[in-house]
């Protein structure tokens, strides 16, 4: 019996299918979301693709008597600590897709889509300022560009999304 291989979706395809406003993916990952994401993270596969060095992995994540859940969360916290405001949802989703975890990438997108977020008045999307509020307050009135900052051998994706 032959099994068929289904090509995983690209980030752009996932964004379009789930109708996620690009401005949300360009936000810096929140600590609360990292805690929600960590339980399903395969930290050993993902850590190197997040731009964490072998030394980071050995000394910060895999050192000591941490549980699996502590290592998963530590991986995401270390990534955010290392990249700061550049630790964006789009980068995390792209890494998950690159390591073959399309289901987990979709979970991150769905988590982000259902989160109630809005930009602070006057903040630009790249500032990373997110607060809890009404999702209806966030509107996209112009075409936007989604770009992924490469943090490992990942291609930059740029495509205009039309309403």
């Amino acid at each position: 019996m032959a099994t068929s291989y289904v090509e995983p979706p690209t980030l752009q395809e996932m964004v379009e299918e789930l109708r996620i406003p690009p401005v949300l993916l360009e936000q810096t990952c929140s600590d609360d979301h990292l805690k929600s994401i960590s339980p399903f993270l395969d930290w050993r596969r993902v850590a190197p693709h997040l731009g964490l060095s072998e030394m980071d992995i050995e000394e910060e994540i895999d050192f000591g008597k941490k549980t699996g859940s502590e290592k998963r969360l530590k991986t995401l916290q270390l990534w955010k600590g290392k990249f700061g405001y550049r630790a964006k949802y789009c980068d995390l989703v792209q890494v998950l897709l690159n390591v073959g975890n399309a289901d987990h990438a979709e979970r991150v997108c769905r988590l982000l889509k259902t989160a109630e977020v809005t930009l602070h008045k006057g903040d630009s999307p790249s500032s990373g300022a997110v607060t809890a509020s009404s999702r209806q307050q966030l509107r996209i009135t112009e075409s936007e560009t989604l770009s992924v900052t490469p943090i490992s051998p990942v291609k930059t994706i740029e495509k205009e999304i039309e309403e």
Side-chain angles (χ1 to χ4, degrees):
M1 183 166 154
T3 58
S4 61
Y5 174 75
V6 176
E7 185 73 25
T10 65
L11 175 61
Q12 196 63 43
E13 290 167 345
M14 190 172 285
V15 166
E16 290 171 0
E17 179 182 327
L18 298 175
R19 297 178 181 251
I20 298 171
V23 69
L24 293 180
L25 284 166
E26 289 293 333
Q27 295 296 316
T28 301
C29 294
S30 75
D31 293 335
D32 287 340
H33 280 169
L34 293 181
K35 287 177 187 172
S36 297
I37 294 164
S38 68
F40 58 83
L41 187 75
D42 182 350
W43 72 270
R44 288 187 190 275
R45 289 180 65 200
V46 170
H49 294 276
L50 287 173
L52 302 178
S53 69
E54 276 298 318
M55 187 181 295
D56 290 335
I57 294 167
E58 289 174 12
E59 294 180 3
E60 299 288 332
I61 301 168
D62 209 18
F63 182 76
K65 298 184 180 202
K66 293 181 185 79
T67 65
S69 60
E70 290 170 328
K71 290 177 183 182
R72 290 187 293 270
L73 181 57
K74 184 65 175 174
T75 299
L76 294 173
Q77 290 172 333
L78 187 59
W79 169 63
K80 185 174 179 185
K82 188 172 183 173
F83 290 95
Y85 71 92
R86 295 175 301 155
K88 297 180 181 184
Y89 291 101
C90 57
D91 297 321
L92 180 58
V93 170
Q94 184 64 61
V95 165
L96 291 169
L97 289 170
N98 288 350
V99 299
N101 289 336
D103 291 344
H104 300 326
E106 185 174 333
R107 281 186 189 174
V108 173
C109 289
R110 289 190 187 283
L111 173 71
L112 184 58
K113 185 176 180 181
T114 59
E116 295 179 0
V117 296
T118 186
L119 297 174
H120 285 292
K121 190 174 184 175
D123 283 339
S124 67
S126 62
S127 70
V130 179
T131 60
S133 187
S134 171
R135 197 166 20 126
Q136 282 79 16
Q137 292 179 3
L138 186 63
R139 293 176 222 216
I140 299 179
T141 56
E142 301 174 25
S143 294
E144 298 187 9
T145 301
L146 173 65
S147 62
V148 177
T149 307
I151 54 177
S152 64
V154 174
K155 294 181 182 176
T156 299
I157 297 173
E158 290 189 21
K159 183 174 181 182
E160 191 165 308
I161 298 177
E162 302 170 359
E163 291 185 20

